[in-house]
Amino acid sequence: MEIIRGKNIEKSVGITATIGMFDGVHIGHQTLLASLREESQRRGTKSAVVTFSQHPQRVLRPECGLKMLMTLEERLRALEKQGVDVVILLDFTPELSRLDSLDFLRLLKSDYGVETLLMGFNHRFGCARDEYFEDYVAHGKSIGVEVVRAVEYQGEFSPVSSSLIRKVLEEGRVDLAKNYLSRPFELSGEVVHGFKNGRKLGYPTANIDITSELILPHKGVYTVIAELEDGNRYGGMANIGVRPTVVKGGNQTFEVNIFDFEGDLYGQVLKVQFVKFMRSEMKMNSLEELKQQLARDAQSCRKVLERI
């Protein structure tokens, strides 16, 4: 897959494109990208996704604290798996946000050779928020860009959006997020040194550093599958929270106890897939009570893993 960050593109090839953030590359996105592949093949052009390196809300309204489902690198890998030929990666700036839909279409045509723009369900662009699909079609005709509507996702979980997935993750409903994504929700991060409290209790954990731009599911204990850098996968249990039994006023952490594994993971990047929410975080009356609860958690998580 070709990633274009400037204006260098072979104009003679022609581009059929669609536009969006594609955060999560969920089942709605996948339907749109399937339509993109079919349309580009029919027209004999390359398929392209126009997307942004930063979410517009994180640029225009940084105080909103929007969390992402994926890093940029993860998003690009997911788009490549969907068979996209080209990603046109734009920096979303205040200047770009002030372009109206006609000027934005002109930019896509003149700088990137876009001949056809495939519009996804309910998608809008340009600074004028009172414009709709028919306006985009008219603007496109005036400058030689054909704007067409993509096939909408039709399924059990329609409609699906990245915002909806963020909401269910904030509620701990990782099983529902899996349905929306067509794969388990996953977080990746480097294993860093922590307080080693889990080791003292007989449940050593990998303390995983997650970039602040990413969403963390609801505080609590989860059944997970951890993939190491060597490709080996292990079941485990994860805790997201502030460890109220052992720390007062601590920062939120993401820790994973990997079942049946011994070794040094510091510095490795782990991929952690969320399987099931087990319980909310709670404060125990003593370390012994916490140890007993961890034993029950581990047993419950192992039973979940036995069923998949």
Side-chain angles (χ1 to χ4, degrees), residues 27-203:
I27 51 180
H29 292 146
Q30 292 166 29
T31 299
L32 173 58
L33 294 171
S35 294
L36 177 68
R37 291 194 303 270
E38 293 172 3
E39 190 71 19
S40 64
Q41 290 170 4
R42 187 176 72 83
R43 294 172 180 270
T45 65
K46 286 186 176 182
S47 63
V49 166
V50 180
T51 191
F52 305 102
S53 54
Q54 322 94 325
H55 195 289
Q57 284 194 43
R58 290 177 65 89
V59 175
L60 299 177
R61 297 178 55 240
E63 71 281 359
C64 74
L66 178 73
K67 298 293 186 179
M68 304 295 290
L69 301 172
M70 287 176 154
T71 64
L72 173 59
E73 292 74 17
E74 290 166 344
R75 192 156 37 107
L76 292 175
R77 287 197 295 270
L79 289 171
E80 185 170 26
K81 286 181 180 179
Q82 292 295 316
V84 175
D85 295 321
V86 178
V87 168
I88 299 170
L89 188 60
L90 303 179
D91 288 325
F92 191 87
T93 62
E95 292 75 22
L96 186 64
S97 74
R98 288 191 285 270
L99 292 182
D100 60 25
S101 57
L102 177 57
D103 285 338
F104 189 72
L105 283 169
R106 283 197 181 106
L107 181 147
L108 295 182
K109 180 178 176 63
S110 63
D111 292 1
Y112 304 102
V114 172
E115 298 175 351
T116 306
L117 185 65
L118 199 64
M119 294 292 297
F121 168 71
N122 207 28
H123 185 77
R124 298 165 72 185
F125 62 91
C127 62
R129 306 314 295 167
D130 58 347
E131 290 189 327
Y132 296 93
F133 177 74
E134 293 75 15
D135 300 297
Y136 304 147
V137 171
H139 292 330
K141 283 182 179 179
S142 70
I143 60 173
V145 176
E146 186 176 358
V147 179
V148 297
R149 194 183 293 280
V151 174
E152 291 183 18
Y153 168 76
Q154 297 294 330
E156 181 181 357
F157 304 106
S158 180
V160 178
S161 68
S162 302
S163 298
L164 176 60
I165 297 171
R166 294 186 193 103
K167 181 177 183 294
V168 301
L169 288 172
E170 288 170 350
E171 297 169 350
R173 302 164 71 188
V174 295
D175 51 344
L176 189 52
K178 177 183 177 181
N179 291 334
Y180 292 155
L181 292 165
S182 76
R183 63 186 184 281
F185 176 68
E186 179 180 281
L187 288 171
S188 298
E190 182 181 348
V191 178
V192 297
H193 289 275
F195 292 96
K196 300 181 173 61
N197 290 311
R199 187 179 304 277
K200 297 172 187 175
L201 295 169
Y203 295 90

Side-chain angles (χ1 to χ4, degrees), residues 204-223:
T205 59
N207 190 46
I208 302 177
D209 184 25
I210 300 296
T211 175
S212 61
E213 75 174 293
L214 291 177
I215 191 169
L216 282 172
H218 181 69
K219 292 178 184 177
V221 175
Y222 295 83
T223 300

